[in-house]
Amino acid sequence: MSARGAWGAGKIILLGEHAVIYGHPALAGALDLGVRVDARPGRLRLRVPAWQLDVDADDDHPAAAAVRLIADEIAARAAEAVAITMDDGLSAESHLERPAVELVADATVPAAAGLGSSAALAVAVTRALAAASGARLAADEVAEIANAAERAFHQRPSGVDVALASAGGLGVFRTATGLTRLPVPPLALAVGLSGEARSTATMVARVRDAVGGDARDPRLVALAACAEAGAAALGAGDVAALGPLFDVAHRHLGALGVSTPSLDRLVELARGAGALGAKLTGAGGGGAVIALAPGREADVVAAWRAAGATGMVVTVGASP
């Protein structure tokens, strides 16, 4: 681990949320916001001051459960490596020990806003604990462990959040094939936070009920088509084409029941301030909206702030 700590990036789904859970593509990118974790000597616990989070590894809390899972998985892999190297006839379990460290996180991505905060945390904690344990994990091992930890927060994560938290960049994600990065420059977007409490698991369940678990539901197919069209547009250098696709996708997400009056209001304010298109991002039910407004991102943010909401300009497609 470097002196700057272990990093995990936040993410933005540009197009294709919810559909991606059913095997369809999603267009998404890593944020220039995320979580950086330092491991310090002490008992195993996690502190994230920006999120008012302070848990011991044995606490009854989703974040504590994620830390336990990550620590145990890394310890098991390290113990297996030691047992094989020593060839002493001892089982891997006889060497298994959680690292005695306190994890202190500097989070710049807001929590529970649909911006991949839990995946950013899971990736950063995995990297920090691996470094503290002397374990060398390949990129796919980091993603595997972090995805398992994500299930402590969400029952059915698609995997896109962890893929971007660990690899960065911008690309098309499919559950069957993972992330295919697009060779395109980073993209500036305005992000508005609704301030509404939300639950990814609740929204995923709502969509499951709405579509009856059928991946062929026309709304999911339409969201997937938006993602594919968006990827083609970016590949052709036509960033402006994302705007109308954002608007179409927001309507379909609303039809699935995951938008809210507050999210709809932020979308309308963005369009009124000159955005080419705007939509909710992530699971919905609260959280954030994104707006494409080349050269006018500050105007959109000002409109949101004038209405009492929090807004910011971010870069999507950042590399680690």
Side-chain angles (χ1 to χ4, degrees):
M1 184 169 61
S2 73
R4 298 180 59 219
W7 173 253
K11 71 89 181 60
I12 279 181
I13 296 183
L14 300 173
L15 295 160
E17 51 268 273
H18 286 292
V20 68
I21 294 174
Y22 294 86
H24 296 296
L27 178 64
L31 279 171
D32 54 348
L33 308 175
V35 178
R36 195 173 298 280
V37 173
D38 285 305
R40 305 171 182 176
R43 75 179 188 275
L44 187 57
R45 64 184 298 107
L46 171 67
R47 292 197 296 115
V48 191
W51 299 346
Q52 291 80 52
L53 177 65
D54 187 348
V55 295
D56 188 271
D58 292 322
D59 287 347
D60 183 15
H61 189 282
V67 169
R68 288 196 302 272
L69 186 152
I70 293 169
D72 288 344
E73 181 61 30
I74 290 174
R77 294 183 188 216
E80 182 178 359
V82 169
I84 292 172
T85 300
M86 293 175 64
D87 193 24
D88 55 9
L90 298 178
S91 68
E93 287 75 10
S94 66
H95 296 285
L96 194 153
E97 183 177 350
R98 292 176 181 171
V101 294
E102 179 183 31
L103 301 166
V104 182
D106 176 21
T108 55
V109 63
L115 301 178
S117 59
S118 63
L121 179 66
V123 167
V125 167
T126 299
R127 288 172 167 162
L129 286 178
S133 303
R136 297 192 177 189
L137 299 179
D140 60 338
E141 291 179 294
V142 171
E144 180 184 354
I145 294 171
N147 267 316
E150 267 278 80
R151 288 190 279 276
F153 299 101
H154 317 300
Q155 279 85 16
R156 193 181 175 187
S158 67
V160 62
D161 290 23
V162 164
L164 290 165
S166 58
L170 191 157
V172 176
F173 180 88
R174 291 177 172 85
T175 54
T177 56
L179 180 68
T180 302
R181 295 180 67 164
L182 297 175
V184 296
L187 175 69
L189 290 177
V191 175
L193 305 179
S194 70
E196 295 176 291
R198 56 178 292 284
S199 164
T200 295
T202 299
M203 292 300 102
V204 168
R206 179 173 295 179
V207 171
R208 182 183 63 239
D209 291 343
V211 304
D214 185 1
R216 299 166 298 177
D217 183 278
R219 293 161 293 188
L220 298 179
V221 171
L223 288 168
C226 286
E228 291 174 334
L234 285 180
D238 187 7
V239 175
L242 291 179
L245 293 171
F246 280 12
D247 291 341
V248 171
H250 187 74
R251 289 197 295 272
H252 288 300
L253 290 165
L256 286 170
V258 297
S259 190
T260 68
S262 293
L263 292 173
D264 291 341
R265 175 62 174 155
L266 291 178
V267 165
E268 290 304 318
L269 285 169
R271 292 170 182 158
L276 301 181
K279 62 180 284 291
L280 71 84
T281 186
V289 302
I290 55 175
L292 180 72
R296 300 194 62 181
E297 294 91 356
D299 295 337
V300 173
V301 170
W304 286 333
R305 290 178 177 170
T310 301
M312 67 193 86
V313 179
V314 302
T315 300
V316 184
S319 297

